[in-house]
Amino acid sequence: MPDSLIQLMLFSAKAIIIVVFILLLLAGILGLLGKGKEKLHGRITIKNLNKKYKKIKTILLQEILPKKAFKTYVKESKAAEKEKITSLENNPQKNIFVIHFHGDIKASAVTALREEVTATLEVAKSSDEVIVCLESTGGMVHAYGLAAAQLSRIRQKQIPLTVIVDKVAASGGYLMACVANKILAAPFAIIGSIGVIAQLPNFNRLLKEKHIDFEQITAGNYKRTLTVFGENTKEGRDKLRHEIEEIHQLFKNLIHEHRPQLDILKVSTGEIWLGTQALELQLVDALTTSDDYLLSLYNHANLFEVSYHIKKSLGEKIFSGGVTLLRKNSIPDLANTLPYMATYLNLDLKQPHT
């Protein structure tokens, strides 16, 4: 068979695979966009972190210690566990509930957060503690406002709330963090960005050049202050700017309510700071990582990780599989871009963001 024919067959096969793959990705994106219309099915899972840490320690000691010394450790550990159980009958240990929040621009994780908080509040007492390991660069105001409100439910029940930031809690992320009784951050974590932004492109001049008319009919003077295709006015810009300022003031008020020791004018400029700088500004209370903080509580409290898992739809599974396949085939840029494409396709660009 001629080489040219073989090459043609190989090229055709690759082309077919790419077309099918693109169709699968489109199906996945449509599945993601329709997610809000589907009924969510999920379940709460609890992981005992004390057992996890003890198991890790045992595995390491088994390799490090001589066989006889390890047997002695196991024997003493079992005896200590029995003694601990007996003492707990009279003096119950403090329970600590650990929740993880990884925020995107739409604060999608709030769906799980509200279930995790609800489950925790069913059993937690004022003598217990809730720890939220928070990572977020912020996003939509109303979405992060709801996330902060979920954390406020814990405070309202008089249960101590600690937020730990290992990487970033900026803008909407800090809106959530400031609700806590105590904020801990890693030395190089990014903290702050206390500000609000709204942005969108405008194609009106381009449409005029191409002699394309854009019609928009609204009821109410400020139903649409700025648009993507229409001609924006000074009045519309001023109105949106006023709305942004009002949201920013509400943001500052919430922070001042929970952290009155802050110089709110100094920290609400939209700047970001590293953990060490944030400590000096009193944006956080201490420097540590979530690992060190949890390990410091390991011998004195019962640690439970609470998580809510949502069953993925077929479209989401196809989409996730497609992104994974792209990464495995050395196409990282497209793989990293697709999830954001799916987000922005369903996003009002004028929506203020923290």
Side-chain angles (χ1 to χ4, degrees):
M1 186 179 292
D3 288 344
S4 58
L5 183 58
I6 293 173
Q7 292 297 325
L8 179 61
M9 290 174 65
L10 288 173
F11 176 78
S12 300
K14 288 181 179 179
I16 292 170
I17 291 172
I18 291 172
V19 169
V20 172
F21 183 67
I22 291 173
L23 290 173
L24 288 174
L25 284 178
L26 288 173
I29 291 174
L30 291 173
L32 285 173
L33 296 180
K35 181 179 177 181
K37 300 177 182 178
E38 298 174 3
K39 187 177 180 181
L40 297 176
H41 298 280
R43 60 188 179 87
I44 287 286
T45 60
I46 309 295
K47 181 188 292 184
N48 189 313
L49 296 181
N50 298 73
K51 291 181 179 179
K52 172 188 171 182
Y53 294 141
K54 185 177 179 181
K55 184 177 180 180
I56 293 172
K57 181 179 179 180
T58 302
I59 291 171
L60 287 172
L61 289 177
Q62 188 174 14
E63 295 297 325
I64 295 169
L65 295 176
K67 193 172 183 180
K68 187 175 180 180
F70 178 70
K71 285 184 177 180
T72 303
Y73 162 75
V74 173
K75 186 176 180 180
E76 291 176 351
S77 181
K78 288 180 179 179
E81 190 65 28
K82 288 181 180 179
E83 184 179 340
K84 181 179 177 180
I85 292 172
T86 303
S87 65
L88 285 178
E89 292 177 357
N90 299 320
N91 300 295
Q93 269 191 331
K94 175 182 180 180
N95 291 322
I96 296 179
F97 303 92
V98 183
I99 296 172
H100 292 271
F101 184 93
H102 297 275
D104 56 19
I105 195 169
K106 297 174 71 174
S108 304
V110 75
T111 302
L113 178 65
R114 65 200 311 174
E115 300 292 341
E116 291 158 357
V117 170
T118 297
T120 300
L121 293 181
E122 287 293 311
V123 295
K125 304 183 292 295
S126 58
S127 57
D128 296 328
E129 181 181 357
V130 176
I131 296 173
V132 176
C133 298
L134 172 64
E135 304 294 341
S136 177
T137 56
M140 290 182 169
V141 171
H142 66 279
Y144 276 92
L146 176 59
Q150 295 300 322
L151 299 188
S152 292
R153 294 171 59 199
I154 299 170
R155 291 290 305 270
Q156 290 166 6
K157 294 289 185 178
Q158 306 300 316
I159 299 170
L161 172 63
T162 300
V163 164
I164 308 177
V165 184
D166 285 329
K167 294 179 182 178
V168 56
S171 201
Y174 193 76
L175 177 71
M176 293 177 63
C178 76
V179 175
N181 299 89
K182 182 168 58 178
I183 305 175
L184 310 177
F188 284 87
I190 295 173
I191 307 294
S193 188
I194 301 169
V196 186
I197 182 173
Q199 57 187 347
L200 75 163
N202 183 264
F203 298 97
N204 184 252
R205 284 186 295 175
L206 177 63
L207 294 179
K208 284 182 177 179
E209 288 177 7
K210 302 299 181 181
H211 304 289
I212 299 172
D213 293 327
F214 172 73
E215 299 291 341
Q216 180 174 256
I217 301 172
T218 62
N221 293 337
Y222 299 113
K223 176 60 182 176
R224 182 67 66 197
T225 51
L226 296 185
T227 74
V228 175
F229 300 110
E231 184 173 357
N232 292 323
T233 65
K234 181 180 183 301
E235 183 183 19
R237 292 189 190 94
D238 290 343
K239 175 61 177 174
L240 181 58
R241 187 175 291 109
H242 176 69
E243 292 172 351
I244 294 297
E245 290 291 344
E246 284 188 328
I247 294 171
H248 190 209
Q249 188 59 52
L250 290 172
F251 192 172
K252 293 189 290 185
N253 291 346
L254 180 68
I255 294 172
H256 182 67
E257 176 187 348
H258 292 289
R259 301 187 70 81
Q261 72 273 26
L262 277 175
D263 183 346
I264 194 65
L265 294 178
K266 186 175 182 179
V267 300
S268 61
T269 57
E271 297 173 80
I272 58 170
W273 295 273
L274 296 179
T276 49
Q277 299 167 314
L279 180 62
E280 293 176 5
L281 293 168
Q282 301 185 72
L283 285 161
V284 302
D285 300 296
L287 298 179
T288 188
T289 64
S290 60
D291 310 280
D292 282 336
Y293 187 66
L294 291 175
L295 283 173
S296 71
L297 301 168
Y298 164 51
N299 291 316
H300 313 291
N302 300 312
L303 303 178
F304 301 102
E305 184 179 276
V306 183
S307 55
Y308 181 76
H309 300 279
I310 300 172
K311 186 178 179 181
K312 288 185 177 180
S313 67
L314 179 59
E316 290 175 302
K317 289 178 180 178
I318 293 173
F319 185 74
S320 299
V323 172
T324 302
L325 189 58
L326 280 173
R327 288 185 176 133
K328 286 182 178 179
N329 285 276
S330 302
I331 317 178
D333 291 342
L334 182 57
N336 293 330
T337 302
L338 281 169
Y340 291 97
M341 286 172 57
T343 297
Y344 277 100
L345 283 171
N346 198 30
L347 182 64
D348 178 359
L349 294 176
K350 190 182 76 65
Q351 172 64 40
H353 291 63
T354 58

